[in-house]
Amino acid sequence: DCRVDPRHLSFDKGNAGCMIRVKNMMLVIRMRGARKPQNADKLDIPSGKSEGEETAQCTAHREVWEETGLDVEVGRLLHRFGNGFSLYACAPKAEDSLRDKFAVPESGRDEVKEILLIDPSTMANRATKLTESWRFPEQGEVFSKAFEKLAEP
């Protein structure tokens, strides 16, 4: 089942992902690169392509579940990229918001090498090695600003 905050329910379709805050850190995945070798060891947010007629919010929920094993609640739209990709604020269940480590679930092992918590303040700085390790380095500033919005009601 797709968990969506009813206050932010949308029927938009398309590819999507989740910005997830855990202990004031950003949850990201390090990609395995099995399907696309150029993505090996790159960082990304849990995200992916829509399937069939699912909404973008349900795409975001499903992808987070498959890649991290977390059952998040998908909230408001934080950013829509020029290609139509939707970035949502997603909240983990209370018990998951207190964890320090996350194991990659069986469903994510083809794509995900590890799940990390990173300091988002390092993302917008192009001089940092962390920025260079992003799958899409140009998105660092957008992700950093989106993460700041998570603190807003």
Side-chain angles (χ1 to χ4, degrees), residues 1-5 57-58 61 71-75 91-93:
D1 261 344
C2 173
R3 292 182 56 226
V4 177
D5 181 333
Q57 287 172 317
C58 287
H61 181 269
D71 183 14
V72 297
E73 181 177 72
V74 181
K93 290 185 173 182

Side-chain angles (χ1 to χ4, degrees), residues 66-117:
E66 289 174 359
E67 294 175 357
T68 70
L70 295 175
D71 183 14
V72 297
E73 181 177 72
V74 181
R76 73 185 187 284
L77 179 68
L78 294 171
H79 188 84
R80 182 160 289 129
F81 290 88
N83 63 2
F85 179 89
S86 299
L87 176 62
Y88 291 99
C90 297
K93 290 185 173 182
E95 63 270 20
D96 290 324
S97 67
L98 301 174
R99 292 171 52 191
D100 291 317
K101 296 190 180 207
F102 300 86
V104 177
E106 184 70 36
S107 59
R109 290 194 181 136
D110 284 347
E111 295 179 70
V112 179
K113 186 174 187 176
E114 66 181 321
I115 301 167
L116 304 166
L117 296 177

Side-chain angles (χ1 to χ4, degrees), residues 10-72:
S10 167
F11 295 99
D12 292 345
K13 306 254 190 278
N15 302 339
C18 280
M19 180 70 57
I20 303 168
R21 178 189 295 261
V22 176
K23 291 186 168 182
N24 217 27
M25 302 289 274
M26 182 187 302
L27 185 138
V28 299
I29 59 171
R30 183 177 308 280
M31 304 186 74
R32 188 167 295 288
R35 293 185 196 150
K36 295 182 180 179
Q38 69 272 23
N39 292 339
D41 292 320
K42 297 293 185 181
L43 299 178
D44 203 354
I45 59 166
S47 60
K49 295 181 178 182
S50 62
E51 293 182 353
E53 291 298 310
E54 74 184 350
T55 65
Q57 287 172 317
C58 287
T59 297
H61 181 269
R62 177 183 49 77
E63 288 289 340
V64 170
W65 173 255
E66 289 174 359
E67 294 175 357
T68 70
L70 295 175
D71 183 14
V72 297

